[in-house]
Amino acid sequence: MKSLEELKAIRERMQGQVELRSEDSNQIRVVVGMATCGIASGARPVLTTLAEEVQKQGLKHVTVTQTGCIGLCQYEPIVEVLEAGKDKITYIKMTPEKAVEVLEQHLVRGQVVEKYTLNETRL
């Protein structure tokens, strides 16, 4: 960067991109915990399965990403589903097979798969 004006231009450009992403209320973000505990528990095949199925089914409104520690090691692998205007849904002890079921029921049909979620009785 050579000047304050250049910094301001970069800031404006980046804010425009952030606003574009946040305006799409139909977008669903799926986050897989990929810290050491998640990986050791089998999160990598879960992440791979979700990413492949989203691509295979052409779900343009779904983004699959990874994150570090979610802080609930005993429940790994963990998958969180974030939708605008809705509560975050946390799926626990996931497997590739469970991930496919969550994708079909929750991400495609909009029905939370309660039997795999983290609820207050488990905390």
Side-chain angles (χ1 to χ4, degrees):
M1 283 176 279
K2 298 178 181 162
S3 68
L4 183 57
E5 288 76 29
E6 187 178 347
L7 179 60
K8 287 179 183 177
I10 292 170
R11 179 176 179 234
E12 288 175 18
R13 188 171 59 243
M14 294 310 292
Q15 280 184 326
Q17 290 175 358
V18 170
E19 288 169 9
L20 285 174
R21 284 182 283 190
S22 64
E23 285 178 14
D24 188 1
S25 62
N26 294 330
Q27 190 67 23
I28 299 173
R29 202 169 107 215
V30 179
V31 181
V32 180
M34 290 290 288
T36 306
C37 54
I39 293 169
S41 298
R44 190 171 309 281
V46 171
L47 175 68
T48 302
T49 298
L50 285 168
E52 288 174 353
E53 285 296 317
V54 164
Q55 186 175 17
K56 188 188 312 179
Q57 294 190 31
L59 302 176
K60 304 285 186 209
H61 68 290
V62 178
T63 304
V64 179
T65 61
Q66 63 185 40
T67 191
C69 183
I70 294 175
L72 299 167
C73 301
Q74 69 271 27
Y75 297 118
E76 292 286 357
I78 295 175
V79 174
E80 295 181 328
V81 177
L82 300 110
E83 298 180 70
K86 296 183 180 179
D87 289 338
K88 172 178 66 176
I89 303 298
T90 302
Y91 290 104
I92 61 171
K93 300 188 180 205
M94 295 300 292
T95 64
E97 295 77 22
K98 290 178 181 178
V100 170
E101 186 177 346
V102 166
L103 183 130
E104 292 170 357
Q105 294 298 316
H106 188 159
L107 305 179
V108 174
R109 295 188 182 99
Q111 300 170 344
V112 175
V113 185
E114 295 287 340
K115 64 185 175 183
Y116 302 143
T117 62
L118 177 68
N119 59 41
E120 292 183 27
T121 61
R122 294 185 183 170
L123 291 177

